[in-house]
Amino acid sequence: MKNNELLELEIRKVDLLLGQSYTSVVAVLTTAYFYTFIAWSTISHKFLVFWFITINIYAALSLGIVPFWREAMTKLQSEEQLNKWKYAKYVMILISGGCWGAMGFVAPWAGTSVQILTSMLIAVMSAGGMILYAANRVAMIFLVGPTVVGWAAGYLYSGQSYSYLVGFIMIVYFGLVVSLGRSLNRSMATLFSLDKILIRSEERVRMAMASSEAMTWDWDIQQDMIFREGNLSLLPEQALLKDILKANFVENRELDFEFNLINGKNGPRVLAFRGKVERDDDGAVLRTTGIVWDVTTKRHQESLRRERDLHEAANEAKSFLLANASHEIRTPLAAILGYAEALLANPNLDDSVYKDLHSIQRQGKFMTSLVNDLLDLSKIESKKLLLQKTPMSLVREIEDAVSVIRTVIDKRHSLKLSFATLVPDEIQMDSVRFRQVLINLLSNAVKFTPQGEIQVTVSLGFDINNKGTLRIRVADSGIGMNEQTQKNLFQPFMRGEGVEVQKVSGSGLGLALSQRLARLSGGDLSLIESIEGKGSVFEYSVALGSVTDLKLVESHLAGRLVQERNLQNQAREYLKDRRILVVDDSEDLRNLMHRYLNRHGAIVDVCESGREALDKAASDDGYDLILMDIKMPIMSGHEATRALRGRGYTKPIIAITAQASSEGQSDCLNSGFDGYLSKPVDTSMLEEVLLKALPVKN
């Protein structure tokens, strides 16, 4: 038993000692008055007066201590505090025992009637005290011991006839009293412990029933008496409970079933029944006991879980379909865009052919963007889109994104970039996704601004905890949006209904995807303001965390370094006389890549499978770089690259694949590739990757 439970048990025992004061005091005082009146003529008046006063003092102390005990008992924290009250009661009981012992001692010298009365009173007080204080052996002995011992000593000392016999009988009587008191004390202690255990058990059962909101039943079928406890609102009608139980009495002795309650007080519910069934030798049901509880919520949760699993399976299938479809679409798109770009570079095209090719290129890029957006959105919804955070030059990425947009705008647009504050030279970010969000914002601003200015403002802010937030605002002077369009702005495939909006091509995925990408990276994308006919303002925010370790620079210096580096790279003929192996199972893409690289001075070999690439690289280690497709027959790009690395091939190998995803990029790097490009291949991205992979010749 725990310490607090032992203390509680001891407090209860002491309370029995002190709590009996009212009844015992009334009995003691009544007896004292009666005895004083009878013995007044035969016993010394001084003795009687002293004895009577002492008895009254005991009574006053016993009654006076009770209110103080009632107040203190709820505040006791230790056994030491409790012992003060216990010992005080022992002293008072010892005074009472001494008084009755003194009365017994003087009785032999009084008259016969007084002796008989004394013996009766002492016997009654001893027996009563034994029962009254049985819960505490010390208190019982303090009362009974002095009483019986004083009575026996009086007869032994008086020298009257049979005095020794009477004294011996008193001693035997005392022994019997002590023995019986000991048995009573053990029984009382056991009773207290069992009572405590029973109280605790009942409390636990009540708490369990209350927390589970269950109801128990005990139905004596022969007497047709049923007892219910707990949440009676589950089945308020006894008749309904009996009907349900009767319908489920089966040959075994267990009840284990669920019942759909259609017309319940709280609407349709599912109730679970568990119980026992007692039968006679002939199999007739005599009695049943058990428990019933509401499992409606659990069943609903299981139903929702099944629906969630089906939804996740559907998402898996959708992601698989989109991934494979995107691969099959990207390959022909790469050829279409590549050849369109090659033809557009021909200076001898007439205007009509140039416009046709430009339309093919524009629609091909739109299809590529749509495939990318669909695949990314699907991965975000299925929580499978992973961000690759690496050191990123902030100014370079922003200026590169602005430069991309500048190549598609005409004289009707003015695109301005400004930095309102110092900015970090480098941050940890997924540069691909950062640029994707920013280009989406800028593209939208251009598309929905028939003529006017687009202003990009970059600023860095701090909070009181020195946490930095980068804010990129894109403001245009375009057609703006009404309130209804603004409400659904970031929902997939939702576009405005206005005539001006419908004139602009688009899928309605750009902003929805961009906001999700921004939030995945710990930032946000929001509409700050939009006025019909006057334009819109969007803000792309990026949380940078603590800025203590960030190097802040002036944007124009960082921008100049980027610009100088790009001009320097463009001036170098970095592909001249480089030996490059192109590996792709698509003949069109092989020829396209061969034409592009050859035009820039490279010496190009081609092959159509990973096995063939393995053989070529093994027989001729003079290749400066290998451009390797991933999904090919016979041997994939992953297998070929791992095999090459296993043979000690150390030259750069760049993956070119239609599997455009961060997971695909990670898989390529793990297989031993030095770089990664997705189809359709953007020539600027190709140049950037080649520049990183091939050291510039001086």
Side-chain angles (χ1 to χ4, degrees):
M1 193 177 292
K2 296 180 180 179
N3 292 336
N4 57 342
E5 292 182 348
L6 287 171
L7 178 62
E8 188 176 345
L9 182 61
E10 290 300 317
I11 290 174
R12 190 174 178 187
K13 289 180 179 180
V14 174
D15 186 51
L16 282 176
L17 290 177
L18 296 169
Q20 295 289 345
S21 297
Y22 290 108
T23 54
S24 61
V25 164
V26 170
V28 167
L29 289 178
T30 302
T31 304
Y33 285 121
F34 179 70
Y35 183 80
T36 301
F37 176 76
I38 298 298
W40 185 260
S41 59
T42 56
I43 295 179
S44 168
H45 291 176
K46 291 182 179 180
F47 172 80
L48 283 176
V49 170
F50 180 78
W51 179 83
F52 185 77
I53 292 173
T54 305
I55 285 292
N56 277 270
I57 291 173
Y58 158 76
L61 290 174
S62 297
L63 290 176
I65 199 174
V66 173
F68 298 100
W69 161 250
R70 295 297 185 197
E71 181 180 356
M73 66 181 293
T74 58
K75 302 177 183 178
L76 296 175
Q77 300 294 326
S78 65
E79 193 170 349
E80 289 74 14
Q81 295 175 344
L82 177 64
N83 286 338
K84 296 178 182 179
W85 296 92
K86 187 192 300 184
Y87 296 152
K89 184 60 179 178
Y90 286 167
V91 171
M92 288 184 284
I93 292 174
L94 189 60
I95 292 173
S96 176
C99 287
W100 293 108
M103 182 181 69
F105 183 82
V106 301
W109 288 277
T112 302
S113 60
V114 173
Q115 291 184 42
I116 295 172
L117 177 61
T118 302
S119 63
M120 290 177 62
L121 290 176
I122 290 176
V124 170
M125 292 306 297
S126 299
M130 179 180 65
I131 296 172
L132 192 63
Y133 301 122
N136 191 298
R137 293 178 61 188
V138 175
M140 179 184 66
I141 292 174
F142 277 8
L143 178 64
V144 177
T147 302
V148 177
V149 170
W151 187 18
Y155 275 96
L156 290 173
Y157 184 72
S158 67
Q160 298 183 22
S161 302
Y162 306 109
S163 60
Y164 289 101
L165 178 61
V166 174
F168 177 73
I169 291 173
M170 293 302 102
I171 293 172
V172 172
Y173 176 71
F174 177 65
L176 290 173
V177 168
V178 171
S179 178
L180 289 173
R182 184 181 181 186
S183 297
L184 281 173
N185 180 261
R186 287 178 177 176
S187 299
M188 188 71 78
T190 302
L191 180 62
F192 281 163
S193 298
L194 292 176
D195 187 45
K196 188 66 178 177
I197 293 172
L198 181 60
I199 290 172
R200 291 293 188 194
S201 298
E202 289 179 347
E203 183 180 0
R204 292 189 186 101
V205 171
R206 282 195 302 270
M207 291 175 65
M209 293 291 291
S211 63
S212 65
E213 296 187 350
M215 180 186 76
T216 59
W217 78 82
D218 184 352
W219 183 18
D220 185 339
I221 297 176
Q222 286 185 317
Q223 302 294 327
D224 194 21
M225 295 177 61
I226 187 168
F227 174 76
R228 300 182 301 161
E229 188 174 13
N231 184 13
L232 301 183
S233 63
L234 282 177
L235 286 168
E237 301 176 3
Q238 289 188 10
L240 179 57
L241 173 61
K242 292 179 180 179
D243 291 340
I244 295 172
L245 294 175
K246 285 179 181 179
N248 288 275
F249 286 156
V250 290
E251 293 183 0
N252 58 30
R253 300 179 182 275
E254 302 287 336
L255 288 177
D256 188 352
F257 64 92
E258 290 184 0
F259 180 79
N260 291 313
L261 187 63
I262 306 299
N263 298 319
K265 181 179 179 182
N266 299 319
R269 288 176 297 160
V270 182
L271 304 180
F273 288 77
R274 302 291 185 273
K276 298 282 187 180
V277 178
E278 296 180 10
R279 301 174 184 269
D280 60 16
D281 295 337
D282 297 327
V285 178
L286 302 176
R287 183 183 178 190
T288 174
T289 58
I291 185 171
V292 54
W293 67 97
D294 193 333
V295 294
T296 306
T297 302
K298 182 179 179 181
R299 294 296 171 262
H300 285 172
Q301 289 174 344
E302 291 175 353
S303 177
L304 290 173
R305 192 177 299 113
R306 286 193 296 269
E307 290 181 6
R308 183 198 63 194
D309 293 342
L310 289 173
H311 180 69
E312 289 178 353
N315 269 338
E316 289 280 350
K318 181 179 68 176
S319 298
F320 181 77
L321 174 64
L322 285 172
N324 283 277
S326 70
H327 180 276
E328 299 304 323
I329 294 172
R330 285 173 190 276
T331 299
L333 271 177
I336 292 170
L337 287 173
Y339 281 109
E341 185 176 353
L343 290 171
L344 285 169
N346 186 348
N348 299 319
L349 294 176
D350 59 42
D351 290 343
S352 62
V353 174
Y354 182 85
K355 289 180 179 179
D356 292 343
L357 288 173
H358 190 69
S359 296
I360 292 173
Q361 184 189 47
R362 184 173 61 253
Q363 294 303 322
K365 287 184 176 180
F366 174 73
M367 285 188 66
T368 303
S369 174
L370 180 60
V371 170
N372 291 339
D373 289 350
L374 282 171
L375 189 60
D376 286 344
L377 191 62
S378 173
K379 287 185 174 293
I380 290 175
E381 288 179 349
S382 58
K383 298 180 180 179
K384 291 186 177 180
L385 184 69
L386 302 178
L387 299 181
Q388 304 289 332
K389 289 193 174 183
T390 56
M392 181 190 87
S393 172
L394 177 64
V395 175
R396 179 181 178 183
E397 291 298 334
I398 293 174
E399 291 194 340
D400 282 352
V402 172
S403 297
V404 169
I405 300 302
R406 280 202 173 107
T407 61
V408 299
I409 62 176
D410 52 33
K411 295 180 179 180
R412 296 175 300 167
H413 298 100
S414 171
L415 178 56
K416 296 181 180 179
L417 170 63
S418 62
F419 292 83
T421 64
L422 295 176
V423 292
D425 180 49
E426 190 176 83
I427 63 174
Q428 293 289 326
M429 194 74 182
D430 188 320
S431 60
V432 174
R433 299 304 180 183
F434 177 83
R435 188 184 301 187
Q436 183 179 351
V437 173
L438 190 52
I439 288 177
N440 268 339
L441 272 181
L442 294 171
S443 298
N444 265 11
V446 172
K447 285 193 298 184
F448 293 103
T449 304
Q451 181 176 350
E453 182 179 273
I454 297 151
Q455 177 69 47
V456 182
T457 306
V458 184
S459 63
L460 178 66
F462 308 89
D463 63 12
I464 57 175
N465 298 316
N466 210 30
K467 303 289 185 181
T469 302
L470 178 73
R471 292 183 172 85
I472 304 173
R473 287 202 174 189
V474 178
D476 63 65
S477 58
I479 62 176
M481 291 173 280
N482 57 32
E483 291 185 4
Q484 184 60 38
T485 302
Q486 293 178 40
K487 289 179 181 178
N488 301 315
L489 187 60
F490 294 102
Q491 298 301 316
F493 304 105
M494 297 298 293
R495 305 186 71 206
E497 299 297 331
V499 176
E500 295 295 328
V501 175
Q502 297 302 318
K503 287 181 180 179
V504 180
S505 63
S507 63
L509 282 176
L511 286 177
L513 176 61
S514 296
Q515 187 183 64
R516 286 161 172 77
L517 288 173
R519 289 177 176 176
L520 271 179
S521 61
D524 200 3
L525 175 62
S526 58
L527 174 67
I528 302 300
E529 180 185 41
S530 185
I531 302 173
E532 285 191 273
K534 293 187 178 181
S536 304
V537 180
F538 288 86
E539 182 176 271
Y540 176 25
S541 62
V542 179
L544 302 179
S546 176
V547 296
T548 305
D549 299 327
L550 292 179
K551 179 183 177 182
L552 302 182
V553 297
E554 294 185 27
S555 59
H556 66 280
L557 295 178
R560 185 180 303 139
L561 292 174
V562 173
Q563 208 169 36
E564 290 174 357
R565 185 167 59 248
N566 288 340
L567 291 173
Q568 185 181 28
N569 289 335
Q570 290 173 5
R572 292 172 180 160
E573 296 180 355
Y574 63 96
L575 288 179
K576 188 173 180 60
D577 297 329
R578 301 283 191 170
R579 296 200 63 199
I580 298 176
L581 176 63
V582 177
V583 188
D584 201 307
D585 61 333
S586 170
E587 183 180 0
D588 292 334
L589 293 179
R590 289 198 306 271
N591 294 336
L592 181 64
M593 194 62 68
H594 181 281
R595 180 185 299 180
Y596 173 82
L597 295 171
N598 192 260
R599 188 168 67 242
H600 286 77
I603 302 170
V604 185
D605 284 344
V606 296
C607 60
E608 62 182 15
S609 73
R611 172 64 65 187
E612 190 178 348
L614 198 60
D615 295 337
K616 277 184 174 291
S619 61
D620 185 354
D621 61 356
Y623 292 116
D624 295 296
L625 180 138
I626 298 176
L627 295 174
M628 180 88 71
D629 188 22
I630 294 297
K631 190 175 181 182
M632 295 181 292
I634 304 176
M635 178 180 282
S636 71
H638 287 297
E639 294 170 330
T641 301
R642 283 194 289 265
L644 284 169
R645 296 308 187 197
R647 294 180 181 183
Y649 189 86
T650 59
K651 298 295 181 64
I653 305 175
I654 306 299
I656 299 181
T657 177
Q659 296 173 334
S661 66
S662 56
E663 295 92 332
Q665 182 177 359
S666 178
D667 291 341
C668 289
L669 296 177
N670 292 334
S671 294
F673 286 95
D674 297 282
Y676 173 94
L677 285 168
S678 63
K679 296 178 181 178
V681 177
D682 183 85
T683 54
S684 62
M685 292 297 297
L686 175 61
E687 288 178 0
E688 185 176 334
V689 170
L690 292 176
L691 277 168
K692 289 180 180 178
L694 294 173
V696 178
K697 293 182 179 181
N698 294 322

